[in-house]
């Protein structure tokens, strides 16, 4: 019996050692979110769903503002629409990830109608149940450990070990998800876009504007303003998808402007028509990594115009 226990213990140690090696070296390929929980507490953050996860590149922001008096580097702490909406669970996770010594942080919050909606199957407005509570990042207590065994234990289902071989996507240490192997097949890309149109049309018919989520966004802005400057950003998407959003929530921009007026968060709107292919998406929703460079630089230009480097946080 003692020999069996010893062998089992040695086997367990070997498994943990191998997994630790894989996660430390290849974690960005294995899981879209894992690297976000292995970095130190962050002084600046990019928040949102997959639009900002892929579309806003931290390295560009860090380089752009390297001479400014901001607490960088910035971490992309975005997830996907399946995991996040603005509400108490996301706020609590952000509090865990934020370095509380920050004084001049930069906080970029990606906003669009569907990340501020009540999903009919949950009805948060009536029962206060948040769909995201048992998913990352909300189910994590330890968000700054490398390797992160809590994530391995709680979110193993998100791991895709074939990603080590395929290397078609990678989440960098700064939290940015890079799609590295997008097809050039126009027919396939058009199919992806049609699928997104169908998906978001379904959201528009089943979901509804959430006053709770709007209030939570306002609370998030007020909380982050203690540590720096907050920017609400609506990212560009293709016209067909934008038409769905505008029909679903026609006064969305006005609602964001109201939150901007109540708080000190500037609202930067990139949803307005832009020159063709300036910020191209590969599926109607997500900016590809090449256009993402230009978009992030344009975002930095807009941020710099409203940046207060003589603020109380100095």
């Amino acid at each position: 019996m003692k020999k069996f226990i010893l062998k089992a213990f040695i086997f367990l140690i070997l498994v943990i050692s191998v997994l630790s090696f894989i996660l430390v070296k290849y974690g960005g390929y294995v899981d879209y979110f894992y690297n976000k929980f292995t970095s130190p507490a962050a002084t600046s953050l990019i928040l949102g769903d997959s639009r900002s996860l892929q579309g806003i590149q931290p390295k560009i922001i860090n380089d752009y503002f390297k001479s400014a008096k901001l607490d960088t580097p910035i971490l992309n702490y975005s997830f996907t629409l399946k995991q996040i909406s603005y509400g108490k669970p996301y706020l609590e996770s952000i509090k865990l990830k934020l370095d509380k010594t920050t004084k001049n942080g930069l906080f970029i919050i990606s906003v669009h109608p569907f990340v501020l909606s009540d999903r009919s199957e949950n009805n948060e407005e009536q029962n206060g149940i948040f769909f995201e509570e048992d998913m990352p990042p909300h189910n994590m207590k330890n968000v700054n450990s490398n390797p992160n065994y809590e994530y391995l234990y709680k979110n193993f289902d998100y791991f895709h070990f074939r990603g080590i071989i395929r290397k078609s996507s990678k989440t960098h240490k700064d939290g940015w998800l890079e799609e590295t192997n997008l097809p050039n097949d126009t027919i396939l890309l058009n199919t992806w876009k049609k699928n997104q149109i169908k998906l978001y049309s379904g959201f528009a018919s089943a979901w509804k504007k959430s006053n709770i989520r709007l209030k939570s966004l306002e609370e998030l802005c007020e909380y982050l303003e203690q540590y720096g400057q907050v920017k609400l950003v609506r990212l560009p998407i293709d016209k067909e998808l934008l038409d769905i959003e505008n029909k679903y929530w026609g006064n969305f921009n006005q609602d964001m402007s109201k939150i901007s007026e109540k708080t000190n968060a500037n609202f930067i709107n990139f949803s307005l028509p832009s020159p063709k292919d300036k910020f191209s998406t590969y599926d109607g929703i997500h900016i590809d990594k090449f256009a993402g460079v230009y978009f992030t630089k344009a975002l930095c230009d807009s941020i710099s115009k409203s940046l207060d480097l003589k603020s109380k946080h100095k």
Side-chain angles (χ1 to χ4, degrees):
M1 186 65 178
K2 289 183 179 180
K3 288 184 178 181
F4 173 78
I5 294 174
L6 179 61
K7 289 181 180 180
F9 179 74
I10 292 173
F11 177 75
L12 179 63
I13 294 298
L14 287 173
V15 170
I16 292 175
S17 298
V18 171
L19 279 174
S20 298
F21 173 78
I22 292 173
L23 292 177
V24 169
K25 192 170 181 62
Y26 301 106
Y29 295 108
V30 171
D31 184 273
Y32 290 153
F33 311 138
Y34 176 74
N35 273 346
K36 299 175 189 292
F37 303 106
T38 63
S39 59
T43 53
S44 292
L45 293 165
I46 300 164
L47 305 170
D49 67 337
S50 59
R51 300 187 194 187
S52 52
L53 174 63
Q54 296 184 49
I56 302 179
Q57 301 183 20
K59 184 179 183 300
I60 303 295
I61 297 172
N62 294 332
D63 289 344
Y64 189 100
F65 291 111
K66 62 184 177 183
S67 61
K69 296 177 181 178
L70 292 174
D71 292 335
T72 53
I74 194 169
L75 173 73
N76 195 320
Y77 203 57
S78 303
F79 295 84
T80 78
L81 192 59
K82 183 177 181 179
Q83 288 85 34
I84 75 106
S85 184
Y86 293 109
K88 183 179 179 181
Y90 199 16
L91 174 58
E92 293 305 313
S93 181
I94 291 165
K95 288 179 179 179
L96 291 175
K97 193 64 186 179
L98 180 64
D99 183 343
K100 304 304 189 301
T101 66
T102 302
K103 295 184 182 298
N104 280 304
L106 176 61
F107 305 101
I108 299 170
I109 304 176
S110 170
V111 293
H112 60 80
F114 295 109
V115 83
L116 287 162
S117 292
D118 183 2
R119 309 184 183 194
S120 59
E121 65 271 23
N122 301 290
N123 204 3
E124 296 104 339
E125 297 262 359
Q126 293 183 15
N127 57 34
I129 296 175
F130 296 98
F131 74 88
E132 67 268 31
E133 287 179 334
D134 296 325
M135 293 185 281
H138 323 291
N139 63 357
M140 294 290 295
K141 299 298 183 185
N142 182 1
V143 297
N144 305 308
S145 178
N146 190 20
N148 195 314
Y149 295 113
E150 183 192 4
Y151 189 89
L152 177 65
Y153 170 70
K154 291 183 175 179
N155 300 300
F156 188 79
D157 290 346
Y158 287 87
F159 284 10
H160 46 284
F161 289 97
R162 291 181 180 178
I164 299 174
I165 299 172
R166 294 175 178 173
K167 294 186 176 180
S168 58
S169 61
K170 177 184 179 181
T171 300
H172 292 255
K173 296 293 185 181
D174 59 16
W176 171 54
L177 173 61
E178 177 186 9
E179 292 288 352
T180 58
N181 192 28
L182 292 173
N184 294 317
D185 186 340
T186 304
I187 296 176
L188 178 57
L189 292 174
N190 284 334
T191 299
W192 286 3
K193 183 173 178 178
K194 288 177 182 177
N195 289 338
Q196 292 285 18
I197 291 172
K198 182 178 179 181
L199 180 66
Y200 279 85
S201 295
F203 294 160
S205 63
W207 298 1
K208 63 181 181 180
K209 173 181 175 179
S210 172
N211 292 322
I212 288 179
R213 299 294 187 177
L214 278 171
K215 182 63 177 177
S216 294
L217 176 61
E218 185 178 329
E219 291 172 354
L220 173 61
C221 292
E222 290 172 345
Y223 175 77
L224 291 175
E225 283 168 3
Q226 303 175 74
Y227 301 99
Q229 300 182 52
V230 182
K231 312 296 175 182
L232 299 174
V233 180
R234 190 174 184 184
L235 276 71
I237 56 175
D238 286 13
K239 183 180 183 302
E240 296 90 335
L241 278 301
L242 182 60
D243 287 344
I244 293 172
E245 289 190 351
N246 289 340
K247 184 177 179 180
Y248 168 71
W249 191 330
N251 62 339
F252 182 80
N253 290 337
Q254 292 93 321
D255 285 338
M256 294 302 101
S257 295
K258 288 178 183 177
I259 291 178
S260 177
E261 291 170 3
K262 287 182 180 179
T263 65
N264 291 318
N266 299 106
F267 175 45
I268 303 172
N269 183 16
F270 279 95
S271 70
L272 302 175
S274 61
K276 183 175 176 58
D277 297 329
K278 184 177 181 181
F279 305 129
S280 59
T281 70
Y282 61 84
D283 61 354
I285 288 289
H286 301 102
I287 301 172
D288 66 56
K289 68 176 185 178
F290 302 107
V293 173
Y294 297 109
F295 171 70
T296 307
K297 287 180 178 178
L299 175 59
C300 288
D301 288 339
S302 295
I303 290 174
S304 66
K305 293 176 184 177
S306 62
L307 205 58
D308 179 10
L309 297 179
K310 298 179 181 179
S311 70
K312 64 182 179 180
H313 305 287
K314 185 175 178 180

